[in-house]
Amino acid sequence: MIETKNLKKIYTTEEVETTALNKVNLKVQEGEFVAVMGPSGCGKSTLLNVLGLLDNPSEGEYIFLDHEVSRFSEKKRAQLRKKNIGFVFQSFNLIDELTVYENVELPLLYLKVPTSERKKKVNEVLEKMQLIPRKNHFPQQLSGGQQQRVAVARAIVGDPKLILADEPTGNLDSANGEEVMKMLTKLHESGTTIVMVTHSPAYAEYSQRTIHLFDGHIVTENVNEEFHL
């Protein structure tokens, strides 16, 4: 599903040039669950942004769903992204003025899904996430764990092939963190491909494989023989 070849990302200002990713070679198979770890500033979020078609690499190739996408225009990236990729962020990124239902419905509006089908899909995913009693609440009326459940619901409502999760448990206590990891595990078991950035070795063990980044390089890869089922 994903392959990068000598991927580089360089940020340039008038004073300094920063190499965020340096010759990253990575393969992620369809249906795989991969964790990405490393210290702050090592390039984890930059890698996720490139994989999620939010940014183009400076050099190298990125092959996604058999397309070489590294030089796609923003319009072409957006079209591919909204049909195939769901995002879960540490800060939830919910819209405060919208209800739980409306936040989850938003990706389907962008995809121009008909009203009746939208309603069915949103209610199904809210049921799966145990959020039906909260569907008319606003984000500020929810706990952190509930907000992240809404964020996961929004990410999966369009049935994306790939979920990119950037520190999805970072703002949660351990109980809610475990709950989110169990939800991601269920998604993986249903066939969704997941790439997750995390600082937590315990949460990385939920994945099949852990990649360690340092200074923009992949330095080690570990297969998690007994990832959680």
Side-chain angles (χ1 to χ4, degrees):
M1 173 179 275
I2 286 172
E3 184 175 5
T4 69
K5 298 178 181 178
N6 293 320
L7 203 70
K8 291 186 81 170
K9 183 63 184 178
I10 300 167
Y11 294 104
T12 306
T13 65
E14 289 181 6
E15 294 83 20
V16 68
E17 185 175 276
T18 304
T19 302
L21 297 173
N22 193 2
K23 295 186 177 179
V24 172
N25 293 289
L26 170 67
K27 284 186 180 181
V28 179
Q29 304 297 332
E30 187 170 347
E32 198 174 6
F33 187 171
V34 176
V36 181
M37 297 190 71
S40 296
C42 73
K44 301 187 300 296
S45 292
T46 301
L47 178 61
L48 226 56
N49 284 343
V50 172
L51 297 183
L53 304 171
L54 297 171
D55 205 353
N56 271 342
S58 305
E59 296 177 22
E61 297 179 54
Y62 174 28
I63 298 153
F64 176 61
L65 296 175
D66 299 322
H67 296 281
E68 209 295 304
V69 299
S70 62
R71 296 295 173 264
F72 271 23
S73 66
E74 170 52 33
K75 184 177 180 181
K76 286 185 77 173
R77 290 206 313 269
Q79 288 172 341
L80 197 57
R81 184 172 64 234
K82 69 184 181 182
K83 290 179 181 175
N84 296 289
I85 304 173
F87 295 89
V88 182
F89 301 97
Q90 176 177 347
S91 55
F92 316 137
N93 284 13
L94 301 176
I95 298 172
D96 288 339
E97 294 77 21
L98 299 182
T99 64
V100 165
Y101 183 97
E102 291 165 340
N103 266 283
V104 175
E105 182 186 34
L106 206 54
L108 301 181
L109 291 171
Y110 291 137
L111 291 170
K112 298 181 180 176
V113 174
T115 304
S116 59
E117 189 181 343
R118 271 203 322 270
K119 185 175 181 181
K120 180 173 179 287
K121 280 177 168 287
V122 173
N123 282 316
E124 281 177 356
V125 79
L126 290 176
E127 183 76 45
K128 184 187 288 188
M129 294 292 154
Q130 300 177 338
L131 286 167
I132 290 291
R134 299 279 186 265
K135 66 188 289 185
N136 295 317
H137 289 204
F138 292 92
Q140 60 268 32
Q141 297 174 300
L142 306 177
S143 68
Q146 289 167 338
Q147 288 188 59
Q148 193 60 296
R149 292 217 309 270
V150 177
V152 172
R154 181 185 58 191
I156 67 173
V157 71
D159 299 316
K161 295 179 175 69
L162 173 66
I163 293 285
L164 298 176
D166 194 356
E167 293 285 357
T169 61
N171 284 338
L172 303 176
D173 60 29
S174 58
N176 281 310
E178 290 285 346
E179 186 180 336
V180 167
M181 291 310 305
K182 285 174 183 173
M183 280 191 286
L184 291 176
T185 300
K186 284 183 181 177
L187 288 174
H188 171 235
E189 288 170 353
S190 70
T192 305
T193 307
I194 300 173
V195 179
M196 175 186 71
V197 164
T198 182
H199 276 109
S200 166
Y203 293 151
E205 287 182 6
Y206 280 83
S207 71
Q208 293 166 287
R209 181 162 55 107
T210 303
I211 293 163
H212 295 267
L213 280 182
F214 187 77
D215 285 349
H217 298 274
I218 293 177
V219 288
T220 60
E221 289 190 39
N222 305 102
V223 174
N224 300 324
E225 297 289 351
E226 298 185 15
F227 70 95
H228 295 236
L229 289 173

